[in-house]
Each structure stands twice: as structure tokens, then as C-alpha cells.
Amino acid sequence: MSGTFVSGMRTLARGAREEPRLFGLAVVGSFVYGAGTAATGWLVGRTTERVVVPAVTGEGVVDTGDVWLAGATLMGVTLVTVVGILLRRIAAGATMYALQARYRRRLARRYLELPLSWHHAHPAGRLLATAGSDVEATWQAMAVLPFALGVVVLIAVAGVAMAAADPVLAAVGLLVLPALLAANVAYQRRMSPRVARVQQLRGEVSATAHESFEGALVVKTLGLGEEEVERFGTDADRLRAANVAAGRTRGAFEPIIEALPSLGTLAVLAVGVARAAAGDVSVGDLVQIAYLLSLLAFPVRSFGWVLAELPRTVAGDARVQAVLREAATTPWGARDLPASQAPATVSATGLGYRHPEPAADPLAAQRRGPDAPARPARREARPALADVTLDVAPGTTVAVVGGTGAGKSTLAGLLVRLVDPTSGQVLLDGVDVRELAEGRVAGAAALVPQTTFVFDDTVRGNIALGLDSEDVPAGRRVDDEDVWQALRLARAEDFVTALPHGLDELVGERGSTLSGGQRQRLALARALVRRPRLLVLDDATSALDPAVERAVLDGLADSGAGTTVVVVAYRPATIALADEVVHLERGRVVDRGPAQEVAARDAGYRELVTAYARAARERGEAARGAGMA
């Protein structure tokens, strides 16, 4: 419990330091509320003693002025207390939301800074849950922390007032405070692991949901809807069970915590009536103490609220900080590329790369418990690339060919520095890409991946992405003519012209209104509009028919755009357009050279590039045989 308490309070203290003005206003408002509430209790006691009792017993003279004065005083103190409540609630809520917004921005910025290899090891659903529910859980307690601090003032002032009225009754009434503290400590100790479990399962449910949405096409085409619903339902049931367990704990402790102040008030009344009958305490003092103690019933629960939120604070902050403190980074240098519009020179020497292992959840060990058996160690996987050396002359087209898992996409990502190699180096115009300043690689090279992503935006917005703003330097800013030129090179001009709104046509989420080939051509135009000196096509024309694919590649060659092209290819027609072929097998270069020469001496390459034609020929022969039969 002490570890959770200390860690949680450190986190909340950090939040107070980051939003000092808002938090300070909330604390001031809470102090005003505490002092005003205690003052109200004192005034009720004095009004009872000097106005109510004489008026009821007839043992004194009470005029109208005394009544109005008592009422006006109570009204004034109540208004001041209300102002304190409003200030506390508004400023505390603003503090909480400001911190949540601040940390979501930090996470978003950190997500973008972290290298792609890090993202490969972390499920997107978990990252979404961190930016959503974990940030919310981290700072939820900031909404009640100022209240609890104000209650300290209330208890101090009320305690002094009660002790001054009657020390015996004050001691009886304040005995409820250690009982409340003990109940809250026990509550937090029971709630801490349950809340951590809930936070863990929220991330798992989010990851499952995200994966199901991402794979919706696969799920529907394979008819696996029921299986996915069952898989998601299993995770949702586990989360429900965890929430129910936390709710049961809350339901067991909250009535006790709520009843203790009322029991204290009853004890004060029982003892106070006897003391008042004996003349040891006045009726006004008894009313004052009982009233102040009854006022403490609700505010003192704020300690319980803070303690109940601390496990969520600690669990949420653990995940948030695991991202913000992540050591993985893409180190940038300070060098620039030579000023040139000529095609780029690319070379790679001794490239090696291993995919990162899936990262463990920061709360996984806590969820599994200290006595859980250790998970078996993962067997080290074969490297995706090993000792790959490649030279691409400026202005040439190189086709990278290989079977599934040969490392083609990994090589494509390394050439444009989506990831860094575990060994070796990539040189762009003779400069190691790791020594280049941020943005220099993106300014000279473009990648069109095999998985095309189109944003829910217009055609223009998708192609001129990030280059049509006034903040973009004039030399890189693009206009509609640049967009149309890129569309012509990508052989997309005709279908865009045919759209009802042309460049202003909204293409839907992930380009849902377009065909696969149209999406690929938009992605290709998005790369070409940037006038790259190096263009890497990772099977980026697979959804095009051979005639369109050839037209696109011929257009690139004939455009005089000054581009070096590296294309991951399968089709013989595509390979035939390349100046050189590189054959990859199990992450290694097994042959390279002109396509005809490689085909003559490399049986594996020959088997690979003729597979499609051979399969088509065999299907045709089988069909003719069936017809003759």
C-alpha cells in the first residue's frame, strides 16, 4: 500500500507542478470552502445559543435585529463558501483536463518520434488505450485532490472550534477520523491490484477491437464474424469480471466509510445530551459540535476518493511513462545532402536486420503476479537481412526479386530509413543516412509501400499531403498543376477527371470509394509530387493490370524527372524494365546483374519469375484437356 500511495502522490505532485496556476486556484477555492464550512458550523452554534434557545425558552430578549443579523451573517458566510466551491470545482476540473490534454499531446509527439521498429513491437490497440484510458486514469485524482486538501483546513478549523466548545465532545467526535483513515487504507490495499487488472484488460480489449477493425476485410471474406465476436466477447467478459470485482470491493467499503461520520455524530449527541443535562456543556456548543461533525461526513470521504484513485493513477502513469521514457529513438545527424536535382546514388554495405520481439505490457508482471511461472524464452529468429551489399547507379532502375520472406520489404524500408540496420550502413549520395539531419532523407527519397493507405480526405489532400500549407517552403510547396502532373505520371489522371468533384472528391475512409488499383495510383502520385531523387516501390503496382503497370513505369523512365528507382517486383514484365536485378533469398543476395544473365545462371531466380507464367500455362492445358474429354 505504501508503495502505491507514495508513487501516486509523486505523480499528482508532478501534475500540480505542471499546472501550478489552475491547481493553485483549486486549492485556494478548497481552502475557502473548508474555512467557510467550519465558520458556518461555529455560527450555527452561536446563533442557537444566542437567538434560538432564548426565543424558545423565553429566558432572554431576542429582537428582530438579532434575527436579521444572524441570518445575514450566515448568508454572507454561505455565499463565500459557495464561491469557494465553484472556484475549486472549476479549477480542479480544468487542471485535470489540462493535464490529460498535455500528456496526450506528449504521447502523440512521442509516438511519431519513436522509430518504426518500436511500433512493430507494440500493438496499436494498446497504444490507443494508453493515450485514452491510461491518461484519463493517471489524472482523474486531480479533480478531487484539491477537495481533500481543503478538507484538511476544514478539519483543522473545525477541530479547534469543537475543542474550544467542549474538549470531551470534540475528542468523542474526532475519534471517527482514525477509523476513517484505517477504513480507507484497507480499501486502497484491496482496490489497488483490482484496478491494475482493470487497466490491463482495458488495453487488451482495445488491442483486440483494433485488430478486428483492421482485419475487417479478412474477417468478412472468411466468414469469421462469429469467431471474432467470440474472441472479443471473451476479452470483454474478462474486463467485466474485473470491473465487477472492483465494484464489489467498492460496494463493501463505501457504506462503512459513509456510515462512520454518522456514527460519530450519534455518539456526540448521546454523550452531549448527558453532559448538557448535567450542565457541563451548553446547548449551543452541543449543536455546534454535532453540526460540524455532520458536515465532515461528506468532505472526509474525499480522502477515500483520492486513495481509491491512486491505484489507477499509478497503473495509468506506469504505461504512459513507459512510452515517454522509451529509450528507442531515431538519432539524427547534422549533415545535409549535396544540393542537386539529379538522380540519387544509393549504396548499401553489409546490411543486417532483425525484427524486434513483441514488447511486454508494463503491467503484465503485476497482472500475472509474483508466483506466476516464467514465460518460456523466445527462440531467436533468423535475421530478415544478412550482409546485403547493393549499389544503385543514379538514374537506373533496379528490381529486387525474391520469394516470400526473402527480406525485400525490409530492404526497401532500410533504403529510405524507416528503420535502421542492426549492422552495416546505407549511403545516399555517399552520406550515411544516419548522419543526415532530420527531414533530409524524406526530402530526397519516397517510398510507396505494398500496403496502400489513403486518408479520409479529398484526392488533392491525399496527394499534396503536407505540401500545400503556407508553412511549407516555396521550393517544396505544390499547387494543382503539380498534382495533375503527378497524376499523369501515375496514370491516374483519367479516373480522377471522371470523379464528380475531381480533385475535391472525398475518397472515404482508407479510400473506400476507390478500387485497389486506383488507391495504388494515388499513393504513387503522392510520392511523385514530391519530386523524389530516389523512388522505392515496394510491390506498389501489384493491383494494376500489366498494361497500366507498364505505362506507369515507362512514364517514369520517359519523364526525365531525375529519379533513381528501386522496385520490388514479381512480374516478368516489370522486371524486364529494370536495368539490373537483385535476387534475394533468405535475407541474402544470391545473384545480381541484367535480368537475362541472372536468369541464365540462377535456377532459383528462373523458377521464381517463371512461376506465374508456368501456372497460367498449366491451367490452360488443364482446361483444354477437360474440354477435349
Side-chain angles (χ1 to χ4, degrees):
M1 178 267 174
S2 60
T4 300
F5 178 80
V6 172
S7 298
M9 293 308 298
R10 283 177 179 170
T11 298
L12 298 182
R14 186 177 75 242
R17 291 194 300 271
E18 293 187 10
E19 291 291 342
R21 293 184 180 180
L22 288 174
F23 185 76
L25 284 175
V27 171
V28 168
S30 191
F31 283 179
V32 170
Y33 158 77
T37 301
T40 300
W42 182 84
L43 284 173
V44 168
R46 300 285 67 75
T47 301
T48 301
E49 183 71 26
R50 298 174 183 176
V51 178
V52 177
V53 172
V56 172
T57 62
E59 296 180 357
V61 178
V62 180
D63 58 27
T64 305
D66 293 332
V67 175
W68 280 104
L69 178 61
T73 304
L74 280 171
M75 180 63 71
V77 173
T78 301
L79 288 176
V80 172
T81 304
V82 168
V83 171
I85 292 173
L86 291 174
L87 182 60
R88 182 201 77 218
R89 289 188 174 181
I90 293 172
T95 302
M96 177 184 68
Y97 292 125
L99 286 168
Q100 289 176 356
R102 178 193 297 267
Y103 273 80
R104 286 190 175 112
R105 285 193 295 268
R106 287 182 182 177
L107 282 171
R109 186 179 303 112
R110 190 65 184 131
Y111 286 158
L112 293 175
E113 292 172 349
L114 287 165
L116 196 61
S117 57
W118 183 89
H119 285 275
H120 289 163
H122 293 76
R126 187 194 300 170
L127 301 184
L128 289 173
T130 298
S133 62
D134 288 329
V135 169
E136 180 180 336
T138 300
W139 301 115
Q140 191 73 35
M142 293 300 290
V144 291
L145 180 61
F147 190 12
L149 295 177
V151 172
V152 173
V153 175
L154 171 58
I155 292 174
V157 176
V160 170
M162 287 190 288
D166 185 70
V168 175
L169 290 181
V172 172
L174 293 178
L175 279 175
V176 74
L177 294 181
L180 277 172
L181 179 61
N184 278 312
V185 168
Y187 177 36
Q188 190 217 27
R189 184 174 295 164
R190 293 288 299 276
M191 280 292 287
S192 182
R194 288 165 173 77
V195 169
R197 170 74 170 167
V198 168
Q199 288 299 110
Q200 168 70 22
L201 290 176
R202 280 182 178 175
E204 292 184 8
V205 168
S206 178
T208 301
H210 185 269
E211 188 175 50
S212 296
F213 298 152
E214 286 288 299
L217 182 61
V218 174
V219 171
K220 288 183 176 294
T221 54
L222 296 180
L224 299 176
E226 290 299 325
E227 287 79 358
E228 279 300 296
V229 169
E230 183 177 353
R231 186 166 75 101
F232 182 80
T234 299
D235 288 347
D237 285 342
R238 292 166 61 203
L239 177 59
R240 177 191 61 80
N243 277 316
V244 168
R248 285 174 178 167
T249 303
R250 186 179 297 111
F253 278 91
E254 285 193 350
I256 297 173
I257 294 172
E258 190 167 349
L260 284 174
S262 299
L263 294 175
T265 302
L266 290 175
V268 166
L269 289 175
V271 176
V273 168
R275 289 179 62 77
D280 295 330
V281 66
S282 68
V283 174
D285 289 337
L286 174 59
V287 170
Q288 174 187 329
I289 294 172
Y291 181 74
L292 283 172
L293 196 59
S294 68
L295 288 180
L296 290 176
F298 177 74
V300 165
R301 290 189 62 195
S302 63
F303 292 116
W305 296 336
V306 172
L307 290 174
E309 289 293 336
L310 285 182
R312 296 185 69 221
T313 295
V314 173
D317 192 52
R319 281 186 166 182
V320 171
Q321 294 303 322
V323 175
L324 296 181
R325 295 173 181 170
E326 176 58 56
T329 185
T330 302
W332 300 102
R335 299 187 62 178
D336 204 346
L337 289 170
S340 173
Q341 296 299 318
T345 301
V346 185
S347 63
T349 305
L351 282 187
Y353 183 77
R354 288 183 181 273
H355 292 294
E357 291 187 5
D361 190 290
L363 300 179
Q366 182 177 359
R367 175 173 61 87
R368 295 172 63 229
D371 299 327
R375 292 183 176 179
R378 290 173 57 91
R379 188 174 62 182
E380 188 174 16
R382 175 179 59 83
L385 290 177
D387 196 27
V388 171
T389 296
L390 176 71
D391 294 305
V392 184
T396 61
T397 297
V398 171
V400 180
V401 182
T404 302
K408 304 180 298 298
S409 295
T410 301
L411 177 60
L414 288 169
L415 293 180
V416 295
R417 210 192 174 194
L418 286 183
V419 291
D420 282 336
T422 51
S423 61
Q425 61 179 352
V426 175
L427 303 179
L428 187 61
D429 287 342
V431 181
D432 191 324
V433 293
R434 289 171 292 195
E435 298 178 5
L436 291 172
E438 186 173 4
R440 299 302 186 269
V441 176
L447 168 70
V448 184
Q450 58 183 330
T451 303
T452 304
F453 188 90
V454 179
F455 291 90
D456 186 6
D457 199 350
T458 62
V459 173
R460 178 191 292 105
N462 269 285
I463 295 174
L465 189 65
L467 296 183
D468 55 354
S469 169
E470 293 296 328
D471 298 330
V472 177
R476 289 186 54 78
R477 195 180 309 153
V478 300
D479 54 24
D480 282 3
E481 180 53 39
D482 297 316
V483 171
W484 282 116
Q485 176 62 25
L487 288 169
R488 281 191 287 273
L489 281 174
R491 295 302 186 265
E493 181 181 25
D494 291 343
F495 90 78
V496 171
T497 302
L499 294 174
H501 302 289
L503 293 180
D504 295 312
E505 182 78 9
L506 289 169
V507 298
E509 185 177 4
R510 298 180 176 274
S512 58
T513 64
L514 305 175
S515 70
Q518 289 171 336
R519 289 195 294 269
Q520 277 198 337
R521 279 181 275 178
L522 283 191
L524 185 57
R526 181 166 57 204
L528 293 174
V529 81
R530 285 155 170 75
R531 307 177 189 93
R533 299 171 52 230
L534 168 64
L535 178 64
V536 181
L537 305 176
D538 183 9
D539 196 23
T541 57
S542 59
L544 306 183
D545 63 70
V548 174
E549 181 187 35
R550 185 175 185 88
V552 168
L553 296 177
D554 284 343
L556 287 176
D558 298 338
S559 65
T563 303
T564 300
V565 179
V566 176
V567 55
V568 174
Y570 293 95
R571 295 173 177 172
T574 308
I575 298 170
L577 298 173
D579 300 294
E580 188 178 29
V581 168
V582 174
H583 180 203
L584 282 181
E585 191 173 281
R586 297 178 63 83
R588 296 179 180 274
V589 176
V590 294
D591 205 343
R592 61 175 300 173
Q596 290 182 345
E597 294 181 9
V598 174
R601 63 175 177 254
D602 188 342
Y605 169 79
R606 193 165 54 248
E607 176 74 16
L608 189 64
V609 297
T610 60
Y612 292 110
R614 187 171 60 256
R617 185 171 60 253
E618 290 172 354
R619 286 194 301 270
E621 291 174 354
R624 285 194 298 272
M628 291 176 62

